Amino acid sequence: MCLGLYILGRGRQTILGYHNEVFSHPTGGHINKTDKLSFSNQEPRRQEQVMEVFKSLIFLLSFQLLHVAKSSMVWLNENGYEDLVVAINPQVPEDANIILNTMNMIKNASNYLFEMTKHRFFFKSVKIIIPKTWKKNTNYSRLKTESYDKADVIIADPYMTHVDDPYTLHYRGCKEKGQYIHFTPNFLLNDSLTNVYGEKGRVFVHEWAHFWWGVFDEYSSDMPFYVSRNSEEASVEATSCPAGVTGIPVFQDCSGDKCEPRICRYDGQLYEKGCIFIPDIQQNTSFSVMYLQLPSVVEFCDKNTHNSEAPNMQNKICNHKSTWEVIMESDDFRNSAVINASAPPSETTFTLLQTQTRAVALVLDVSGSMSMLIAEKMTTTCGSEIVLLTDGEDPRIATCLDLVKQSAATIHTIALGPLASKELERFSKLTGGLNLYAVDGAVPSKLIETFSAITSRSGDICEQSIQLESKDLVVQHSGWMNTTVPVDKTVGNDTFFHIAWSLSQPFFFLRDPKGKEYGSSDFTTSNSNPNTARLSISGTAEVGDWQFCIKNVHTATQTISVTATSRPAYSDVPPVRIAAHMNRANKAFNPVVVYAEVSQGFLPVLGATVIATIEKDGAGAVTLELLDNGTGADTMKDDGIYSRYFTSLQGTGRYRLKVNAHGRNTTTRLSLKQNRALYIPGYRVNGKIYMNAPRPKFADKEIQVKLGSFSRISTSSLVVNTAGDSAPIYPPCEVTDLHARIENKTIVLSWTAPGGDFDNGKADHYIIKSSKNLLDLRNHFDRATSLNSSNLIPKEAGREESFKIKPENFIIENNTIIYFAIRAVDDTNLISEVSNIAQATWFIPPKAPVPLDDDGNNDGANSTVIVAIVGLCVVVVCTIVSSSLCVLQKQKRRLDIEKMQKHV
């Protein structure tokens, strides 16, 4: 798609907007014929600076770069959720049944949600975005502020071949909202998948609870069984909610395509690896929707039914609270009441929208009078986007907020420097746009990076350009700046290299992976923008490292910057991309968390080196390495989400984030998403087992693929109010990966060290407690039994800690289960939250159960006990009979024995 832009000059504002007549721009983009550009009454330096970056902005908008941050527009209206947005990916082939089945799924989900939330919530209105690749239809309305990138539900091809797991991308904490829900077209069209995932409406409620209320799965693929103390003696139970779900542990013995089920064998304290739990269709209690989606699912687990022992993500992330307790703490619950009716008060309504050609207007305001401009232009902007760049205050900005809200336009705001209006972000918040911030600099690289966050919002990968590199450096006279830009196999089309300097043109050349060199004469410069040069690579750029060699030949020190962008090499191979953002966590001290999602399509990319740089005017830049290790700020390990707490706040103001992700030859992709609906292996009905088709298995090349070397850049911004200019003081972060095991009757604890300030630095000491009751330890940590850890000196954040507990501290015998938790203390006596609770178990399992019979029946442990009792009785009877035979005559012994044996 070509993006048409035109320029309107009006006093001290400059507007670029959509127009029909297009001509080529020397940079390789497209702009329109323009009206006269006016910069009257501007300060000379500001006028020169605006002109300097002006063409770069046109180039970037026409090229449409990178990723837009996610922000849902759903709101609760009289117990009904309004404006839920479902978007179909442009690469999905047209099929009207996708729309029809989606509508039916959400209609059914509305009824289930109403029942499961005890007559409180339902879905009131839904918008479905049809891609522009589908045929036009008079029933489709025009998009306003809705877009694919902001959709709550995405319908797209699976992230792995033959994998149709519905899932929710959620990488924040308990009670915090997710990014989006993902369904595949096959899940919506193939009714046979109901057998393995459950009824579609129930599955939707499962995913909605992930997405909207921040609750987590109550099953566990990693630990499908655990040792439980719900009864007087320890026993192996299925990881479920509620506890005591009936069923049978089964192992599939497979030879080729043929599989024979058998009862699982014990391997240590638990069942062998590969053992799966087959639930009974008929249960004495109802399942939780966050466990399974069977017909008996009618509720969420509450305080009374919650299985606090189960080793699932809900217990780990939500501190062993039930899903219903978490939902009850939400704003929705507090601001609503029970509806006295047996069904939702209204059916779900649907609006069909179709993506259209994108129209973007760029407004450059350096006068502080943007309100007048916005008021004039808001009458003709339905469905379009406005990028508003300003560096000044405007006390009248609040007067046009209502008009902006009614305009049906999306406004992205860019604050340039520290003096931009404090209310600027209200425009983007009202319209669902981006709020961005650019630090003033000697070269335009930071402003170019900021504009790179504004992208095509249709979901079409062919329209997305990727920023490969952006680097600026202060270079001494005769000094060199050498930069390597890797071009990986997922990109290479429309590749541009851009160099800028603050004083005079340096000597430079670019060398491709095959040794071909491009000198300064091969780059394009412009008289109107003499401090920049750019090179367009024809065709598809060579895969490999491109070397930029630059020498400052000016007599003085100057700033030099290099940027590189490219597009996907193939229409059917998604590129590696990165999406970065910051937000304040919904927890004590409200710390700022930096996130970066590194992915290829919907697949998480592991093993990348991810570096975040946070800047604020008047303060030094802070650099952090983001981690995907499941500790500290990172919720889940190996999900492609790299995270870290940012603890170096420098008072109230705007903060700018830049994240650079580098991958080398060891970088791999992961196969399965987390927060997904459970693939149900089978059912047991009246004692007979019915197995579903096994989950598809993948070759190693599908599960882990070397992506080679790559580099990606993403930017974001955050406005922080610290309620004062003093830097906040933070405690250590909570330990989230505490583990306990028993080795030779010695208990060993292990965990990842937290920092002194959340996950930075190191703690001063630890407080370790134990209890035989999990909830007592959670609720009354201070009263629990203390362990002497005075000799344990905390390590730097991120390093592995271990602690051995001597045998004399505990009596370890069969059926022993002890719970442990830990808190870290910093040098100012600030204390972390209580860690996850670890369980140390000494359990000798019973003898192996008998095999399944021909019908797949087995009564489990009860059958084993019955067989053992019957066998014992037979032995006793035979002993009595044998003793009696001793008093009989020898000549009659054989006959009498035979008679007794026949009798028995």
Side-chain angles (χ1 to χ4, degrees), residues 548-754:
F548 228 138
C549 300
I550 307 165
K551 182 179 182 180
N552 179 18
V553 294
H554 190 59
T555 56
T557 298
Q558 68 170 330
T559 303
I560 300 173
S561 70
V562 170
T563 59
T565 59
S566 189
R567 288 186 187 270
Y570 309 97
S571 61
D572 58 345
V573 178
V576 176
R577 66 179 184 87
I578 178 175
H581 70 278
M582 294 188 291
N583 74 278
R584 304 205 76 165
N586 183 21
K587 62 188 302 180
F589 294 86
N590 295 119
V592 174
V593 183
V594 181
Y595 297 101
E597 178 192 357
V598 186
S599 60
Q600 183 184 15
F602 294 104
L603 287 173
V605 173
L606 308 183
T609 300
V610 183
I611 305 297
T613 303
I614 300 101
E615 294 179 293
K616 180 179 182 288
D617 274 303
V622 177
T623 300
L624 295 172
E625 181 177 3
L626 308 186
L627 303 173
D628 184 18
N629 60 357
T631 66
D634 194 59
T635 304
M636 296 184 186
K637 184 178 180 179
D638 291 341
D639 62 351
I641 310 299
Y642 298 76
S643 318
R644 197 75 180 270
Y645 287 109
F646 172 56
T647 59
S648 301
L649 289 175
Q650 300 293 322
T652 296
R654 294 183 175 98
Y655 289 78
R656 176 182 180 274
L657 169 68
K658 172 185 173 182
V659 176
N660 192 330
H662 285 283
R664 296 303 172 194
N665 289 329
T666 57
T667 302
T668 58
R669 304 188 301 185
L670 189 68
S671 60
L672 296 178
K673 286 281 189 179
Q674 302 188 52
N675 293 319
R676 63 183 188 268
L678 177 64
Y679 189 101
I680 304 169
Y683 314 89
R684 189 167 69 166
V685 182
N686 297 323
K688 186 174 179 62
I689 293 176
Y690 297 88
M691 299 297 297
N692 289 321
R695 175 186 286 279
K697 294 183 179 180
F698 309 101
D700 289 342
K701 66 178 182 180
E702 293 181 277
I703 296 174
Q704 295 187 342
V705 178
K706 289 186 178 180
L707 297 171
S709 297
F710 67 85
S711 176
R712 298 291 187 270
I713 301 289
S714 180
T715 59
S716 184
S717 304
L718 179 68
V719 178
V720 174
N721 184 355
T722 60
D725 293 329
S726 60
I729 300 175
Y730 299 108
C733 65
E734 65 185 289
V735 172
T736 59
D737 64 344
L738 179 64
H739 295 279
R741 66 185 187 275
I742 298 176
E743 294 179 355
N744 299 322
K745 295 202 172 182
T746 296
I747 298 175
V748 180
L749 304 181
S750 61
W751 66 94
T752 301

Side-chain angles (χ1 to χ4, degrees), residues 21-40:
E21 292 185 283
V22 182
F23 68 92
S24 295
H25 185 271
T27 62
H30 294 83
I31 61 173
N32 294 93
K33 295 181 179 179
T34 61
D35 296 330
K36 184 178 179 181
L37 175 62
S38 172
F39 289 104
S40 60

Side-chain angles (χ1 to χ4, degrees), residues 469-485:
E469 185 58 273
S470 180
K471 181 182 295 184
D472 59 82
L473 187 67
V474 177
V475 183
Q476 301 289 330
H477 167 65
S478 295
W480 286 86
M481 175 181 177
N482 298 323
T483 300
T484 300
V485 181

